[in-house]
Amino acid sequence: MDERVRRAREMLRRVGLENFESYLPTQLSGGMKQRVAIARALAGEPKLILADEPTGALDSKMGNEILQFFKELNKDLGITIVMITHEFDIAKYADRLVHIRDGKINYDGPIPKNDNNL
């Protein structure tokens, strides 16, 4: 099997879409399309992933799985994940938080226990 095909299939498996390999985009839900986008990004073995609202179209279970997957990618493969989110519960998955308000950095540091002062 071609290495590119093997890698693509592995990434689809990692995001839970191994049984949808032959589906067209019009046959997939919004959340499934989001997971395909993540799998496609990972197939290129990047050093950095920019993820803008990566869980926006996902249910909470799949969203948590993707966020956990990002943590594994960072820990196991050293991939840096820069995630943009409006949700503090999503930001808690990160090791570092940069909070921007009105175009200025409001906070840069470890994840606080709550978001009351952000």
Side-chain angles (χ1 to χ4, degrees):
M1 176 185 311
D2 180 86
E3 176 60 22
R4 291 174 298 171
V5 172
R6 187 201 64 74
R7 181 113 176 111
R9 285 181 176 157
E10 171 62 17
M11 291 304 107
L12 285 174
R13 186 193 65 74
R14 297 284 304 257
V15 297
L17 292 175
E18 63 273 15
N19 296 326
F20 296 88
E21 180 181 333
S22 63
Y23 281 53
L24 298 173
T26 56
Q27 296 172 303
L28 301 174
S29 70
M32 294 167 100
K33 290 176 187 175
Q34 185 90 347
R35 290 187 279 159
V36 167
I38 292 166
R40 188 176 59 231
L42 294 174
E45 299 180 335
K47 300 279 186 225
L48 170 72
I49 294 175
L50 300 175
D52 185 4
E53 298 287 353
T55 62
L58 305 177
D59 62 48
S60 60
K61 180 180 182 290
M62 183 52 64
N64 288 334
E65 288 178 20
I66 292 297
L67 293 169
Q68 189 58 43
F69 181 46
F70 280 172
K71 284 189 84 63
E72 291 169 16
L73 291 171
N74 176 257
K75 180 182 175 194
D76 299 342
L77 302 177
I79 297 174
T80 299
I81 313 287
V82 177
M83 187 169 48
I84 295 87
T85 184
H86 292 91
E87 303 292 330
F88 188 71
D89 287 343
I90 303 301
K92 289 180 185 178
Y93 278 84
D95 295 326
R96 175 180 169 199
L97 175 69
V98 178
H99 183 264
I100 299 172
R101 176 171 286 157
D102 298 328
K104 295 188 174 26
I105 295 176
N106 187 45
Y107 177 85
D108 182 356
I111 304 299
K113 297 214 185 296
N114 61 53
D115 66 342
N116 292 339
N117 49 351
L118 294 181

